[in-house]
Amino acid sequence: MAFFQGQAKTATKHMVDPALQPWVEKYRPKTIDDVSAQEHTVAVLRKTLTSTNLPHMLFYGPPGTGKTSTILALSRQLFGPDNFRNRVLELNASDERGISIVREKIKNFARQTPRAQMVASDGNTYPCPPYKIIILDEADSMTQDAQGALRRIMETYARITRFCLVCNYVTRIIEPLASRCSKFRFTPLDSTSSTLRLSQIASAENISVTPDVVSTLIDTSGGDLRRAITYLQSASRLSSSTNPPTPITSKDIQEIAGVVPTDVVNDFARALGVEVFGDMDTDGPVDGKKRGFETVQKKVKAIMREGYSASQTLSQLHDIIITHPTLPAKQKAKCALAFAEADKALCDGSDEELWILEVGLQVLRALSS
Amino acid sequence: MSLWVDKFRPRTLDELHYHEGLSARLKSLAASGDFPHMLFYGPSGAGKKTRISCTLKQLFGNGVEKLKIDQRVFISPSKRKLEINIVQSNFHIEITPSEAGNYDRVVIQELLKEIAQTQQVDLNAKQRFKVVIINEADSLSRDAQAALRRTMEKYMSNMRIILCANSTSRLIAPIKSRCLLMRVAAPSPEEMQTVLEHVAKKLRFDLPPEASQQIVADSGGNMRKALLVFEALKMQSPDLSGSLKIAKPDWETYCHKVADLIVQEQTPARVMEVRSKFYELLSHCIPPTVILKTVAERVVERVDENLKADIMHWAAFYECRMRIGNKKIYHLEAWVVKVMSLYKVTKHFVYDFDMSEFE
């Protein structure tokens, strides 16, 4: 019965069972020193911890590079667990963030003067500087009007409130806001720090991963640590749920990440007249096979039947062609044009089969001319 | 008396015929208690929905089969009323947010928050969470997808989301990275034949191999279509022997007729004729993309090799325009005229065609 009571207790407190918690949340950095890579930003922010002065900040960079983690860790270090709730307001895209919210909620929060410092309950002392922090996550999805309304608020309450805007595309933040903040650029993670972090998590979770798996994780996630961690968690879930538990392979990771298997893409590329290197079992001269409309169409239909995603197939094909060692630059340029057109069309929601076929035919034509 | 497709739909994960590896994974995930958000994707008729309902049954037992249909009213920010149909049982809820059109964000936000903030009250329930199934997830707007992001992390303890989509291209990366991706590929011809034989065995009659091969070839990897065709054939000729004629749907023959018209003659009068046929097709609710694809594929079959690539290029080009644009018929016509002029020009070059009557 104790088991059930324990469960009920956690439920009433709205706590997530740590076993079910996403690892991304579980292993979020607790202090800014834990943040992987980003040395420059961390060095600047560490100074603010001692001087307790903070400018308005604008964090930008690709997803999964630690923007949200950094600001959360920083504010936790500044205020400690007790004051965190009344000193920090976090808003993101899932909350309504129209102009009315900016006018009411943000303004009201910004206007309050923070209460005097209390002694922290866990015995540690925190700097607890005399201002509040408002974190606007995913700020690039805020409308122009809402951003405009922030301008004056940021200045008026600058004495008691600091803003931190977090976004992926700095160009979507209006210029007046950007000029009020000091900007921090977050760069995609290099493979050494990703490897380090992933193996830390793996050892903490008691799962064994081979270096091969780690390198696949890093390849498929492209510098996005959050994606790498999520893939790792899904893979470990799958492998531990089978009976007996099987070790994680890099093929599992590819399947979870939705990557099209290399031989499928190579096969498609070969049908388009691209010589694919790297795999040894290419039998005979590829040029001997008749290439034409029918073969390409058949290949495209097969890919669609397998259910692979069009954008993923295109990006992998793109990698093969653009990094190809022997193709002349002019042909590559023609192919690149076709890829760009197709990407735009897919973003607009066009039919996938038609556009993969189109790219295939264009590449075929570019290479045979 | 229900259709065979529904009558013989597998109810549990053990009854599924193909993709055994996938079924085993789903089964062990459902048993482990650590069930993630999931995204099922694959071509239509591959069995995504069937797999989802089997997984639900594995998770919650027979209770999920007691369904009720509810109509809910949501109010958009501009005070418009939206009526959405919701299929639900005690343990799960199924929505098709694309019904709400532009306002799908409101539906997603309200409905998910409401479900997420209530806990499972049934003490006998096997799982502590509820499942939300979102159909046609690839037609969700960007806003709605962005609204899902944080909700998926925050309410993990009360709710799991299962997304069902034809392709992952239109889903934003943050959603994909939060789900466990499940690719459901179309069954291979042999796998489809075993399913057909299984159905025939259940109904206690013999299925000649030629007939099943023909059905499989015609369906193009779509299991649902194969079963429907199978049932129709059985109605036509009960013994399923001799030369079978699989009736193509009317719209398909109609599209082929249009393609033939285009290839036969290229004049303004012919364009008018094609135009009225297109109107006919559109007024019967055939999606314009399907029309364009079917006609283009047929046209390509009957022209020279060097023209094929161009025809597909323009088909892709105008298909994209059609999505962005408003009036579908313009783009269909533009494509027809383009193809006709291309065809004419090459014909002129090759055979030195007499153009005098058009000048």
Side-chain angles (χ1 to χ4, degrees):
Chain A
M1 278 324 274
F3 171 67
F4 284 107
Q5 278 161 7
Q7 263 198 341
K9 211 176 199 175
T10 48
T12 47
K13 277 171 91 181
H14 287 283
M15 286 284 284
V16 185
D17 186 359
L20 297 180
Q21 213 177 358
W23 291 356
V24 184
E25 294 291 332
K26 202 167 164 188
Y27 296 101
R28 231 182 235 291
K30 300 283 182 299
T31 64
I32 54 170
D33 297 306
D34 290 347
V35 175
S36 301
Q38 325 297 357
E39 290 83 9
H40 175 70
T41 315
V42 170
V44 174
L45 291 178
R46 200 177 293 127
K47 279 215 186 78
T48 64
L49 268 182
T50 48
S51 70
T52 70
N53 193 16
L54 201 67
H56 291 308
M57 285 173 295
L58 173 60
F59 288 0
Y60 65 100
T65 47
K67 300 178 295 296
T68 314
S69 299
T70 309
I71 184 63
L72 284 179
L74 178 73
S75 31
R76 197 155 279 139
Q77 267 182 298
L78 278 175
F79 300 118
D82 302 336
N83 285 328
F84 187 80
R85 277 194 172 276
N86 51 35
R87 292 292 185 92
V88 178
L89 177 70
E90 189 195 348
L91 290 174
N92 58 38
S94 64
D95 304 302
E96 187 62 56
R97 266 197 318 198
I99 189 159
S100 59
I101 295 296
V102 171
R103 283 194 189 129
E104 287 160 27
K105 201 167 171 186
I106 296 185
K107 206 171 172 184
N108 279 340
F109 186 80
R111 179 188 277 159
Q112 295 160 9
T113 316
R115 266 184 293 163
Q117 184 182 347
M118 291 177 295
V119 181
S121 58
D122 59 354
N124 298 331
T125 50
Y126 294 96
C128 213
Y131 50 76
K132 305 177 301 288
I133 295 184
I134 297 182
I135 305 169
L136 295 172
D137 210 343
E138 293 150 34
D140 40 6
S141 65
M142 283 172 79
T143 58
Q144 293 262 331
D145 290 348
Q147 290 188 34
L150 268 182
R151 290 167 60 169
R152 193 64 195 147
I153 299 176
M154 274 174 90
E155 278 176 354
T156 323
Y157 304 105
R159 209 172 44 81
I160 47 171
T161 305
R162 300 288 183 276
F163 281 83
C164 179
L165 307 180
V166 179
C167 63
N168 293 133
Y169 305 101
V170 73
T171 43
R172 302 236 181 105
I173 303 291
I174 58 170
E175 188 49 39
L177 275 193
S179 72
R180 281 173 174 80
C181 304
S182 55
K183 292 179 194 151
F184 293 96
R185 191 165 83 91
F186 283 69
T187 48
L189 269 74
D190 53 306
S191 56
T192 39
S193 42
S194 314
T195 315
L196 191 71
R197 191 81 189 143
L198 285 173
S199 38
Q200 266 176 12
I201 293 177
S203 63
E205 286 290 332
N206 262 331
I207 49 175
S208 62
V209 282
T210 56
D212 190 32
V213 170
V214 174
S215 76
T216 319
L217 274 174
I218 291 166
D219 282 347
T220 49
S221 58
D224 180 342
L225 190 58
R226 177 177 46 208
R227 237 168 68 199
I229 296 176
T230 322
Y231 291 158
L232 183 64
Q233 185 176 17
S234 313
S236 87
R237 240 180 216 149
L238 279 183
S239 71
S240 64
S241 60
T242 49
N243 204 5
T246 46
I248 302 169
T249 62
S250 42
K251 212 174 164 212
D252 288 341
I253 305 278
Q254 285 200 334
E255 181 69 42
I256 288 164
V259 176
V260 184
T262 330
D263 42 334
V264 173
V265 182
N266 283 350
D267 201 34
F268 186 45
R270 230 173 276 131
L272 302 180
V274 186
E275 285 177 54
V276 184
F277 299 98
D279 48 357
M280 295 299 156
D281 53 354
T282 36
D283 33 5
V286 216
D287 292 351
K289 241 196 275 173
K290 192 186 162 293
R291 281 193 306 268
F293 181 79
E294 245 92 275
T295 18
V296 177
Q297 197 181 25
K298 222 174 270 167
K299 278 272 176 317
V300 171
K301 284 223 184 290
I303 290 181
M304 289 331 288
R305 259 182 80 143
E306 283 299 309
Y308 295 117
S309 121
S311 47
Q312 184 65 37
T313 319
L314 285 187
S315 86
Q316 281 178 257
L317 188 63
H318 169 264
D319 288 348
I320 292 184
I321 290 179
I322 298 301
T323 59
H324 199 279
T326 57
L327 283 179
K330 196 174 175 196
Q331 295 188 350
K332 281 189 186 177
K334 279 186 182 163
C335 298
L337 267 178
F339 282 118
E341 284 286 329
D343 187 61
K344 162 84 175 95
L346 286 178
C347 276
D348 286 335
S350 301
D351 190 76
E352 302 198 327
E353 191 181 330
L354 275 178
W355 275 97
I356 294 204
L357 185 60
E358 157 74 3
V359 168
L361 295 172
Q362 293 290 341
V363 170
L364 186 68
R365 179 179 290 181
L367 296 188
S368 54
S369 64
Chain B
M1 186 64 202
S2 57
L3 289 175
W4 290 359
V5 186
D6 296 318
K7 206 164 155 193
F8 299 109
R9 186 189 294 277
R11 300 267 184 268
T12 61
L13 285 171
D14 298 318
E15 286 175 31
L16 290 167
H17 281 95
Y18 47 92
H19 301 324
E20 274 95 8
L22 194 64
S23 312
R25 275 182 172 184
L26 286 173
K27 205 169 168 189
S28 51
L29 276 176
S32 72
D34 181 18
F35 193 75
H37 297 301
M38 283 206 207
L39 167 60
F40 283 79
Y41 67 104
S44 53
K48 299 183 291 293
K49 276 280 190 55
T50 312
R51 276 178 177 69
I52 292 176
S53 63
C54 291
T55 314
L56 279 180
K57 179 147 176 174
Q58 184 77 30
L59 274 174
F60 297 108
N62 289 328
V64 280
E65 283 176 357
K66 278 184 207 144
L67 293 175
K68 60 181 177 191
I69 298 177
D70 231 3
Q71 201 167 46
R72 288 279 302 270
V73 178
F74 295 90
I75 296 177
S76 73
S78 54
K79 304 279 181 283
R80 245 194 67 193
K81 275 188 182 162
L82 306 164
E83 282 183 4
I84 304 288
N85 285 321
I86 294 171
V87 180
Q88 61 179 354
S89 74
N90 282 340
F91 308 103
H92 84 287
I93 185 164
E94 194 176 331
I95 46 173
T96 312
S98 49
E99 278 176 38
N102 273 332
Y103 296 107
D104 51 358
R105 188 178 61 98
V106 186
V107 178
I108 288 281
Q109 273 179 340
E110 295 214 354
L111 198 67
L112 286 196
K113 284 204 172 152
E114 181 191 303
I115 296 168
Q117 285 163 355
T118 52
Q119 290 195 350
Q120 179 65 266
V121 282
D122 189 354
L123 285 175
N124 297 323
K126 280 192 186 168
Q127 310 286 345
R128 284 185 52 238
F129 54 81
K130 278 192 172 189
V131 173
V132 178
I133 301 173
I134 301 181
N135 289 324
E136 294 170 39
D138 44 357
S139 55
L140 278 177
S141 67
R142 293 257 154 159
D143 277 350
Q145 294 186 34
L148 266 182
R149 282 171 74 161
R150 191 67 189 145
T151 327
M152 285 171 83
E153 283 178 353
K154 225 168 162 181
Y155 301 111
M156 187 81 184
S157 55
N158 287 347
M159 170 180 74
R160 299 290 187 280
I161 294 178
I162 297 182
L163 299 163
C164 180
N166 273 344
S167 129
T168 57
S169 291
R170 256 169 276 165
L171 289 172
I172 56 173
I175 299 277
K176 277 189 267 183
S177 76
R178 281 177 178 80
C179 294
L180 184 56
L181 298 184
M182 287 282 171
R183 185 170 59 84
V184 185
S188 70
E190 295 79 45
E191 288 165 338
M192 292 181 77
Q193 282 192 15
T194 29
V195 175
L196 291 180
E197 274 158 24
H198 168 79
V199 170
K201 212 170 128 194
K202 278 232 170 148
L203 290 167
R204 297 216 185 79
F205 63 83
D206 282 331
L207 173 65
E210 308 88 62
S212 77
Q213 271 162 20
Q214 214 179 337
I215 294 170
V216 168
D218 184 68
S219 62
N222 188 335
M223 198 68 235
R224 184 184 323 125
K225 192 174 167 189
L227 280 174
L228 286 171
V229 166
F230 183 30
E231 185 169 6
L233 274 185
K234 177 77 183 162
M235 291 292 159
Q236 268 174 25
S237 58
D239 52 348
L240 285 171
S241 58
S243 65
L244 291 165
K245 181 106 178 65
I246 294 176
K248 287 217 185 311
D250 284 344
W251 61 267
E252 215 173 312
T253 35
Y254 210 78
C255 281
H256 287 171
K257 228 185 269 170
V258 174
D260 295 343
L261 285 178
I262 295 171
V263 180
Q264 275 163 15
E265 194 185 323
Q266 294 83 33
T267 53
R270 201 30 84 83
V271 177
M272 290 305 289
E273 212 171 308
V274 169
R275 175 203 172 96
S276 65
K277 291 236 181 324
F278 274 148
Y279 262 124
E280 183 81 4
L281 281 168
L282 284 176
S283 66
H284 283 88
C285 290
I286 309 295
T289 308
V290 175
I291 300 179
L292 184 58
K293 258 169 92 173
T294 329
V295 176
E297 267 167 30
R298 180 77 168 186
V299 170
V300 159
E301 279 172 20
R302 7 205 91 196
V303 295
D304 298 340
E305 180 72 25
N306 52 351
L307 253 183
K308 289 179 178 178
D310 278 326
I311 289 177
M312 283 327 266
H313 166 75
W314 290 110
F317 179 83
Y318 284 113
E319 201 272 334
C320 178
R321 286 277 184 91
M322 205 153 65
R323 295 270 175 173
I324 308 170
N326 195 10
K327 197 99 170 122
K328 311 292 182 201
I329 188 88
Y330 293 164
H331 305 283
L332 286 175
E333 276 174 8
W335 177 75
V336 169
V337 174
K338 192 87 203 177
V339 169
M340 282 190 176
S341 75
L342 274 176
Y343 192 75
K344 193 116 217 178
V345 168
T346 41
K347 228 168 147 189
H348 180 65
F349 277 126
V350 176
Y351 307 113
D352 201 12
F353 194 73
D354 183 19
M355 293 285 279
S356 55
E357 56 180 301
F358 300 102
E359 282 161 7

